[in-house]
């Protein structure tokens, strides 16, 4: 089925007499007839529900909708995008391991890999995607477990060359993990370009209404863990906490998500609540319609910004002549997302003056929902970073992140215009 149909129909297929809308299974636990039935679930010999920290039918329906949209074999919902990134990484990278991540990524991921996971004995090197293959390969170590990048970077709007880095990762016997939050599977399916694992902050376009924090991990099922058994012992050697079961041999293509659920979610517990999964599903039902409007509005706003004398630069891959235009045409032929990065001529103070003059458009930490919003990362989300770290992460100190919503574009432009006029006063 086409993506538009999957957005609406996938995941929950009721049979006779069952609710048409996805029900919220608001239950921590599930009933069985005898002790042996339950024991088989704990041994992973049967599949079924027993405790919502590990699995819940509402969550599973939404996860399988997202897996279908991404073209993966299985998915797991998490309580946040941060949890999704951490679980995806930690599932295959333990103490002594090394991560190779693009420097153009979300600030929270930059901190997770560069600071917090370092305390767990995991090293990370950030690379500039503009480097040559040889330069990137020189950063790969024998203990490097995966390469990581974002389809469209938050907040810079840079487009990642997924196919190129998938080939590079595979040449060195490791998977490519892609954070596909901004593009969504409506506009890009990284697995089709060779990515092995896809993560999302569902908090953004998938939910789409700034209602629920959440995340998801999707596995393509394509990476052959047993072919690189020495590098991924967590998947290829017995797990003592499950009577010596080996995920890669016992579960084949389902190994990655099964381990993430049965081991990491069991022990670290960052499940999405079934209520939130239900709301996320309502968001997903209109994802394809909203993304079309976000992209059309953002394209018009980006073209308008480019013409304004107050604006020093605009980064939006849909603009002909943009550094990422060709990559955008390849990976995002129907549009990228509603987020535009731009800089105003003049000082940081002028950026703040401009934002404070906005009326309909609000200053919020959030991004990528129906309501147009704006943020100055250097003063807000990324304020813990030094100027050098900011530049390394592709965030210019004057960068304004404008998240174009799905209102009438004339009203969005009118608000931007009056705020630009206000800085001139
Ligand atoms: C927001 C975001 C995250 C983190 O997600 P949360 O849901 O806020 O935890 C990760 N990656 C990207 C690209 C994001 O925009």
């Amino acid at each position: 089925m086409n993506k538009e149909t999957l957005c609406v129909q996938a995941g929950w297929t009721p049979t006779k007499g069952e609710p048409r809308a996805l029900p919220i299974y608001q239950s921590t636990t599930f009933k069985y007839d005898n002790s042996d039935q339950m024991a088989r679930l704990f041994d992973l010999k049967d599949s079924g529900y027993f405790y919502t920290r590990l699995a819940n039918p509402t969550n599973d329906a939404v996860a399988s909708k997202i897996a279908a949209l991404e073209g993966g074999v299985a998915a797991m919902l998490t309580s946040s995008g941060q949890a999704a990134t951490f679980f995806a990484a930690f599932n295959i990278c333990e103490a002594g391991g090394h991560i190779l991540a693009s420097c153009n990524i979300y600030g929270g991921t930059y901190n997770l890999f560069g600071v917090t996971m370092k305390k767990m004995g995991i090293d990370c090197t950030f690379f500039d995607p503009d480097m040559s293959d040889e330069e990137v390969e020189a950063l790969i170590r024998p203990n490097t477990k995966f390469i990581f990048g974002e389809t469209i970077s938050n907040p810079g709007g840079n487009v990642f060359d997924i196919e190129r880095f998938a080939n590079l990762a595979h040449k060195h016997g490791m998977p490519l993990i892609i954070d596909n939050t901004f593009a969504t599977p409506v506009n890009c399916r990284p697995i089709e370009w060779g990515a092995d694992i896809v993560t999302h902050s569902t908090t953004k376009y998938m939910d789409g209404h700034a209602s629920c924090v959440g995340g998801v991990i999707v596995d393509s099922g394509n990476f052959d863990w047993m072919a690189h058994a020495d590098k991924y012992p967590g998947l290829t050697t017995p797990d003592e906490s499950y009577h010596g079961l080996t995920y890669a041999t016992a579960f084949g293509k389902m190994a990655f998500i099964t381990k993430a659920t049965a081991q990491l979610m069991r022990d670290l517990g960052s499940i999405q609540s079934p209520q939130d999964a239900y709301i996320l599903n309502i968001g997903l039902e209109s994802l394809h319609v909203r993304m079309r409007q976000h992209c059309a509005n953002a394209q018009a706003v980006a073209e308008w910004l480019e013409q304004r004398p107050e604006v020093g630069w605009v980064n939006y891959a849909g603009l002909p002549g943009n550094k990422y235009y060709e990559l955008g045409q390849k990976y995002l032929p129907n549009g990228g997302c509603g987020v535009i990065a731009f800089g105003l001529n003049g000082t940081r103070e002028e950026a703040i003056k401009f934002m404070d003059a906005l009326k309909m458009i609000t200053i919020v930490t959030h991004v990528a929902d129906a309501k147009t919003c704006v943020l100055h990362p250097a003063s807000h989300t990324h304020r813990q970073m030094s100027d050098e770290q900011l530049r390394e992460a592709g965030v210019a100190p004057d960068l304004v992140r404008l998240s174009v919503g799905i209102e009438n574009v004339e009203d969005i432009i009118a608000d931007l215009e009056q705020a630009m006029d206000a800085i001139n006063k």
Side-chain angles (χ1 to χ4, degrees):
M1 282 192 283
N2 290 296
K3 288 179 205 174
E4 294 78 5
T5 311
L6 294 174
C7 280
V8 180
Q9 295 281 351
W12 173 246
T13 313
T15 53
K16 186 166 179 259
E18 284 183 328
R20 182 62 193 95
L22 171 65
I24 307 171
Y25 283 86
Q26 194 65 53
S27 180
T28 60
T29 196
F30 302 85
K31 180 200 171 279
Y32 290 93
D33 290 339
N34 57 54
S35 163
D36 183 54
Q37 284 177 354
M38 187 103 110
R40 291 183 62 80
L41 295 176
F42 273 99
D43 286 347
L44 301 183
K45 283 181 180 142
D46 285 344
S47 66
Y49 299 101
F50 51 99
Y51 192 55
T52 286
R53 170 150 42 78
L54 285 104
N56 172 284
T58 306
N59 292 33
D60 273 3
V62 181
S64 70
K65 172 178 282 188
I66 297 171
L69 277 166
E70 286 287 7
V73 293
M76 178 177 88
L77 298 188
T78 56
S79 55
S80 68
Q82 284 300 103
T85 310
F86 175 61
F87 277 44
F90 199 58
N91 210 29
I92 48 173
C93 187
E94 299 171 5
H98 173 247
I99 297 169
L100 193 54
S102 164
C103 63
N104 298 324
I105 53 172
Y106 175 65
T109 311
Y110 193 91
N111 275 318
L112 171 67
F113 289 169
V115 180
T116 299
M117 288 180 76
K118 201 169 221 127
K119 295 177 189 161
M120 301 173 174
I122 294 165
D123 259 349
C124 179
T125 306
F126 295 101
F127 68 95
D128 183 342
D130 287 344
M131 283 174 167
S132 69
D133 284 2
E134 292 68 31
E135 287 173 308
V136 177
E137 285 180 292
L139 301 173
I140 296 173
R141 306 177 190 168
N143 61 340
T144 307
K145 306 294 180 175
F146 64 86
I147 296 180
F148 183 94
E150 287 176 11
T151 310
I152 304 173
S153 68
N154 177 7
N158 302 353
V159 181
F160 193 67
D161 194 345
I162 300 170
E163 188 174 37
R164 176 181 163 216
F165 289 105
N167 288 338
L168 224 135
H170 297 159
K171 182 177 163 195
H172 292 271
M174 60 180 151
L176 175 69
I177 304 182
I178 291 290
D179 180 335
N180 197 33
T181 298
F182 271 14
T184 83
V186 169
N187 284 336
C188 178
R189 295 215 270 203
I191 291 170
E192 288 176 356
W193 298 103
D196 300 282
I197 292 144
V198 175
T199 61
H200 284 272
S201 165
T202 61
T203 316
K204 313 297 166 55
Y205 289 117
M206 284 191 170
D207 170 88
H209 302 79
S211 297
C212 297
V213 174
V216 68
I217 307 171
V218 183
D219 180 29
S220 67
N222 292 337
F223 195 82
D224 186 352
W225 306 106
M226 287 311 279
H228 308 281
D230 290 350
K231 206 186 260 183
Y232 304 103
L235 282 156
T236 61
T237 59
D239 180 350
E240 292 317 319
S241 68
Y242 279 110
H243 312 297
L245 170 148
T246 299
Y247 294 101
T249 48
F251 297 104
K253 281 183 176 295
M254 303 298 283
F256 186 90
I257 293 294
T258 305
K259 175 175 180 285
T261 305
Q263 187 190 72
L264 297 189
M265 198 58 94
R266 178 197 63 187
D267 296 350
L268 299 170
S270 302
I271 197 73
Q272 188 167 124
S273 88
Q275 281 272 355
D276 285 3
Y278 168 83
I279 293 168
L280 170 59
N281 186 55
I282 293 179
L284 288 167
E285 288 188 4
S286 64
L287 181 65
H288 55 301
V289 183
R290 289 183 288 107
M291 288 311 288
R292 209 181 299 145
Q293 197 59 44
H294 279 294
C295 293
N297 284 359
Q299 183 71 29
V301 170
E303 287 169 10
W304 180 85
L305 284 171
E306 255 195 336
Q307 306 302 322
R308 289 294 298 200
E310 298 86 351
V311 175
W313 57 272
V314 182
N315 195 25
Y316 189 70
L319 292 174
N322 181 267
K323 180 178 172 190
Y324 297 98
Y325 183 76
E326 275 76 34
L327 285 176
Q329 292 300 300
K330 174 172 175 176
Y331 294 109
L332 310 156
N334 301 318
C337 66
V339 182
I340 301 169
F342 71 94
L344 292 167
N345 290 321
T347 59
R348 278 184 186 218
E349 284 63 43
E350 261 145 348
I352 302 208
K353 205 170 157 193
F354 159 74
M355 291 193 301
D356 286 348
L358 291 164
K359 291 182 175 144
M360 176 189 78
I361 301 169
T362 46
I363 303 175
V364 295
T365 309
H366 192 64
V367 64
D369 79 88
K371 300 168 279 298
T372 300
C373 60
V374 73
L375 180 91
H376 184 223
S379 339
H380 306 132
T381 45
H382 291 58
R383 62 183 297 129
Q384 72 282 6
M385 286 190 183
S386 66
D387 271 14
E388 197 194 334
Q389 282 176 321
L390 276 176
R391 269 186 292 273
E392 246 178 53
V395 183
D398 64 340
L399 184 150
V400 174
R401 184 183 72 187
L402 178 66
S403 175
V404 179
I406 57 174
E407 304 92 344
N408 185 306
V409 73
E410 287 173 18
D411 295 326
I412 299 170
I413 290 175
D415 196 20
L416 293 170
E417 186 158 33
Q418 66 79 24
M420 295 231 176
D421 291 345
I423 16 173
N424 296 329
K425 278 180 194 140

